[in-house]
């Protein structure tokens, strides 16, 4: 007896779509909230301060630096990888949904490629954010020290990229 092929959408496919949508939401949210946090302190006077910057704040700093014939090191690649990550997860979700409706395997494969791009770019966004932060860290002993590290936005983007990308790859492999 031959098995009938199901014409409906499987539960696994629905879960994968949901995970991709959540990943895209996390990635896009990360783009617009605190990207880095800077902790500044002085042992000499016993004071400390924290400040946070979004990607837009970094873009404004880079624009101001450009007017002085300078640039914020690693900002351009950080910004590029961040936006590619969010876009790749969204594209993967759309392609997978279209694959479910149109039933064209190529769309699932393209979604899997977008998932790979999302994972790689999400990781690279964190790496370049750390490198960018190291460029702006200051340590002059007891007088003052400053460290810039990734904040919640950077981590949300990476988690969204990896989560959505993995679901997209799973959807491509499943099909």
């Amino acid at each position: 007896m031959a098995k009938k092929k199901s014409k409906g959408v499987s539960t696994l496919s629905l879960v994968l779509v949901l995970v991709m949508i959540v990943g895209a939401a996390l990635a896009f949210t990360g783009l617009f909230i605190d990207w880095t946090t800077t902790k500044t302190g002085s042992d000499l006077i016993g004071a400390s301060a924290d400040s946070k910057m979004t990607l837009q704040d970094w873009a404004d700093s880079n624009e101001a630096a450009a007017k002085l014939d300078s640039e914020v090191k690693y900002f351009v690649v950080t910004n590029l990888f961040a936006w590619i990550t969010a876009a790749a997860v969204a594209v993967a979700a759309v392609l997978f949904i279209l694959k479910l409706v149109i039933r064209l395997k190529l769309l699932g494969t393209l979604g899997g490629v977008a998932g790979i791009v999302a994972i790689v770019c999400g990781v690279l966004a964190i790496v370049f954010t750390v490198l960018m932060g190291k460029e702006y860290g200051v340590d002059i002993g007891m007088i003052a020290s400053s460290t810039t590290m990734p904040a919640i936005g950077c981590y949300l983007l990476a988690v969204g990229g990896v989560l959505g990308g993995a679901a997209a790859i799973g959807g491509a492999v499943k099909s």
Side-chain angles (χ1 to χ4, degrees):
M1 214 161 145
K3 232 181 174 181
K4 282 187 178 179
K5 199 169 189 181
S6 174
K7 296 269 183 188
V9 178
S10 71
T11 305
L12 177 62
S13 295
L14 290 176
V15 169
L16 290 173
V17 166
L18 182 64
V19 170
M20 282 184 248
I21 291 171
V22 167
L26 289 173
F28 276 104
T29 301
L31 289 173
F32 299 104
I33 61 175
D34 296 334
W35 190 259
T36 58
T37 183
T38 302
K39 296 182 186 285
T40 307
S42 172
D43 291 336
L44 187 61
I45 59 173
S48 66
D50 290 346
S51 65
K52 298 178 185 308
M53 290 179 72
T54 63
L55 270 179
Q56 183 60 50
D57 295 335
W58 280 105
D60 294 342
S61 296
N62 192 45
E63 189 177 313
K67 291 178 183 176
L68 301 171
D69 292 329
S70 182
E71 71 173 8
V72 175
K73 281 192 177 182
Y74 300 111
F75 169 72
V76 173
V77 290
T78 300
N79 195 35
L80 183 68
F81 284 129
W83 280 96
I84 289 173
T85 300
V89 175
V91 165
V94 169
L95 287 172
F96 192 71
I97 291 169
L98 285 174
K99 178 196 143 250
L100 293 176
V101 173
I102 300 174
R103 304 230 184 259
L104 185 61
K105 189 173 175 145
L106 175 65
L107 295 174
T109 304
L110 292 174
V113 170
I116 292 169
V117 169
I119 291 172
V120 170
C121 289
V123 170
L124 287 173
I126 282 189
V127 168
F128 282 106
T129 299
V130 168
L131 290 173
M132 184 173 66
K134 285 186 178 187
E135 287 293 319
Y136 296 96
V138 175
D139 188 9
I140 38 183
M142 286 179 45
I143 298 170
S145 66
S146 172
T147 56
T148 301
M149 301 169 294
I152 188 72
C154 186
Y155 294 126
L156 279 178
L157 177 101
V159 168
V162 170
L163 195 66
I169 293 168
V173 170
K174 176 204 162 280
S175 55

